[in-house]
């Protein structure tokens, strides 16, 4: 019940396309849903986050869509660029506990 | 702001040896987290501290692992004795005290135990 399931494991998108990564959770007590971006040789860094009382949050080319009834949330990257190639992690939190998805390796082809 | 600083960046050691990983959190951050990342298990929380006090060490795999935070600007993760299955990237992260503050990760220590 503490799991966050992330899909797909890997994703290849053409430059300029839309990248979509999905996550699902079971525990309705989760109250904060961040996405982290990790480049090779670096630690993860917060990209964007959402609370369950909001259905969508947009920051530049990055948008989180949140479906509370379905217990699902997704990251959309519009106009994907080669510099967006990285591993993306969704997560869900209760208090100071962060439960991480398994990660999606995104490759943007020029 | 220098960010979270970890050392060493790479560590190669032989099975049975003691390994010490070091972390300097961002000044003013009162939470410190140690994570381990592997392909098989992803990101695993090992332990976290609040104001230098260990709060939850339930993720520490076994007694061979220990962590300390003697002051607000320094923490260590020690493995003694090390085993090949400990090979992973170990990350330190820090955050401010409020709930849902972002985690700021260091660049990690890649540990290889042969």
């Amino acid at each position: 019940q503490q799991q966050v399931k992330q899909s797909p494991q890997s994703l290849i998108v053409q430059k300029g396309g839309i990248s979509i990564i999905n996550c699902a959770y079971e525990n309705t007590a989760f109250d904060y849903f961040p996405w982290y971006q990790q480049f090779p040789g670096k630690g993860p860094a917060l990209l964007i986050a959402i609370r369950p009382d909001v259905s969508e949050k947009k920051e530049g080319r990055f948008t989180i869509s949140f479906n509370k009834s379905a217990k699902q949330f997704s990251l959309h990257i519009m106009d994907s660029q080669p510099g967006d190639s990285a591993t993306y992690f969704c997560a869900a939190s209760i208090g100071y506990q962060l439960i991480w998805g398994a990660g999606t390796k995104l490759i943007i082809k020029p | 702001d220098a960010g979270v600083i970890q050392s060493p960046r790479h560590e190669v050691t032989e099975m049975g040896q003691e390994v010490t990983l070091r972390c300097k959190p961002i000044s003013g951050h009162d939470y410190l987290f140690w994570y381990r990342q592997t392909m098989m298990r992803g990101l695993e929380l090992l332990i976290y501290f609040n104001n230098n006090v260990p709060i939850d060490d339930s993720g520490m795999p076994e007694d061979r692992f220990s962590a300390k935070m003697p002051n607000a600007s320094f923490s260590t993760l020690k493995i003694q004795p090390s085993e090949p299955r400990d090979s992973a990237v170990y990350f330190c992260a820090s955050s401010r005290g409020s709930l849902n503050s972002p985690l700021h990760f260091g660049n990690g220590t890649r540990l290889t135990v042969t």
Side-chain angles (χ1 to χ4, degrees):
Chain A
Q1 211 188 13
Q2 287 288 78
Q3 280 187 327
V4 175
K5 295 184 180 178
Q6 184 172 345
S7 63
Q9 194 173 4
S10 61
L11 180 62
I12 299 174
V13 175
Q14 289 292 130
K15 178 183 173 183
I18 302 174
S19 304
I20 302 174
I21 304 170
N22 301 299
C23 286
Y25 63 97
E26 287 297 323
N27 191 342
T28 55
F30 288 138
D31 58 4
Y32 180 68
F33 301 86
W35 285 87
Y36 280 76
Q37 180 188 52
Q38 184 179 26
F39 293 105
K42 304 289 187 183
L46 179 67
L47 183 63
I48 186 172
I50 197 168
R51 297 187 189 280
D53 55 347
V54 175
S55 62
E56 185 176 282
K57 184 173 181 181
K58 186 174 181 178
E59 290 184 3
R61 296 183 295 107
F62 300 90
T63 299
I64 300 178
S65 296
F66 188 85
N67 187 328
K68 191 173 182 178
S69 60
K71 291 185 281 187
Q72 294 175 349
F73 58 110
S74 59
L75 176 70
H76 292 65
I77 306 174
M78 312 299 288
D79 186 27
S80 300
Q81 299 297 311
D84 297 330
S85 296
T87 299
Y88 292 80
F89 294 92
C90 64
S93 79
I94 304 176
Y96 290 98
Q97 268 269 29
L98 253 187
I99 309 299
W100 295 82
T104 297
K105 185 172 183 178
L106 173 65
I107 297 172
I108 307 300
K109 284 200 162 182
Chain B
D1 187 348
V4 174
I5 299 172
Q6 290 187 247
S7 63
R9 285 300 314 271
H10 303 273
E11 177 78 46
V12 180
T13 191
E14 291 184 347
M15 182 173 64
Q17 297 298 305
E18 177 179 296
V19 175
T20 299
L21 311 182
R22 297 172 174 79
C23 174
K24 177 179 168 56
I26 293 172
S27 177
H29 284 190
D30 50 357
Y31 279 81
L32 184 138
F33 304 78
W34 281 101
Y35 279 89
R36 178 170 68 177
Q37 186 176 39
T38 60
M39 289 295 291
M40 290 296 294
R41 300 172 69 92
L43 274 163
E44 301 174 273
L45 176 64
L46 301 178
I47 185 171
Y48 78 92
F49 295 82
N50 176 222
N51 291 324
N52 314 336
V53 176
I55 302 301
D56 183 353
D57 66 354
S58 60
M60 296 286 260
E62 42 196 280
D63 292 346
R64 297 184 298 105
F65 285 69
S66 62
K68 293 181 180 179
M69 192 164 186
N71 57 61
S73 58
F74 184 65
S75 177
T76 59
L77 179 68
K78 187 176 292 187
I79 308 172
Q80 165 64 16
S82 58
E83 297 182 3
R85 60 192 166 122
D86 301 331
S87 297
V89 181
Y90 290 82
F91 287 103
C92 173
S94 69
S95 71
R96 288 191 188 278
S98 56
L99 266 179
N100 302 326
S101 290
L103 294 181
H104 296 261
F105 283 81
N107 286 330
T109 295
R110 181 174 293 277
L111 174 65
T112 303
V113 183
T114 60

